[in-house]
Amino acid sequence: MESVKKFLEKEGEMAITMDGLPQKFFEPFTMKGIKVDLLELGRIVCSFEVPLVDLIGSAAILTIGTPSFGVSVEINVSYLDFAYPGEEVEVEARALRVGKAVGVASVELRKKKTCKIIAFN
């Protein structure tokens, strides 16, 4: 798990491999300044400056050990508040179900300073 955290937070160069996970999956994490705050089996909490629900949800599913990832079948996002440009947002994704063909994740975006929920799916 620590290697996943180090890899996600790495800026610039991409590591050669990551336990068989596709390199292209992690590129948006490393290029957007995402910071991994918590990483455990089936759950990942990240923070970043505004402006990604789908990508972090997929990462939570990958923590289960799925050999590959695909595209989202459905994404519904409910927006409850906003974040200012440059404001730090925390994103928590939980793998709810991981099957052979479909994985389901919930994602919640919060203002990091106040923990106020600004969006969820």
Side-chain angles (χ1 to χ4, degrees), residues 66-83:
T66 4
S68 64
F69 69 98
V71 297
S72 293
V73 184
E74 178 180 350
I75 299 176
N76 293 305
V77 179
S78 297
Y79 296 93
L80 306 175
D81 204 351
F82 62 91

Side-chain angles (χ1 to χ4, degrees):
M1 290 288 193
E2 188 61 30
S3 64
V4 172
K5 181 178 188 251
K6 286 179 183 175
F7 188 86
L8 289 175
E9 291 182 341
K10 185 176 182 181
E11 294 181 14
E13 289 182 36
M14 296 293 296
I16 296 170
T17 66
M18 178 58 190
D19 299 325
L21 298 176
Q23 282 185 317
K24 297 250 183 214
F25 176 82
F26 292 104
E27 196 168 318
F29 281 103
T30 61
M31 299 304 161
K32 304 281 187 202
I34 291 178
K35 179 181 164 218
V36 177
D37 298 321
L38 176 73
L39 181 64
E40 59 189 31
L41 189 64
R43 182 176 176 220
I44 185 170
V45 178
C46 297
S47 58
F48 65 99
E49 287 189 15
V50 176
L52 151 100
V53 169
D54 186 37
L55 189 60
I56 295 175
S58 295
I61 291 170
L62 286 173
T63 66
I64 301 294
T66 4
S68 64
F69 69 98
V71 297
S72 293
V73 184
E74 178 180 350
I75 299 176
N76 293 305
V77 179
S78 297
Y79 296 93
L80 306 175
D81 204 351
F82 62 91
Y84 291 103
E87 184 174 8
E88 198 167 14
V89 173
E90 182 175 76
V91 183
E92 179 173 353
R94 291 180 182 265
L96 303 177
R97 181 183 180 281
V98 179
K100 291 179 182 177
V102 176
V104 179
S106 68
V107 181
E108 186 176 282
L109 289 83
R110 300 181 287 265
K111 293 183 177 196
K112 189 153 187 179
K113 282 186 178 178
T114 64
C115 294
K116 185 175 183 180
I117 298 171
I118 57 174
F120 69 92
N121 81 332

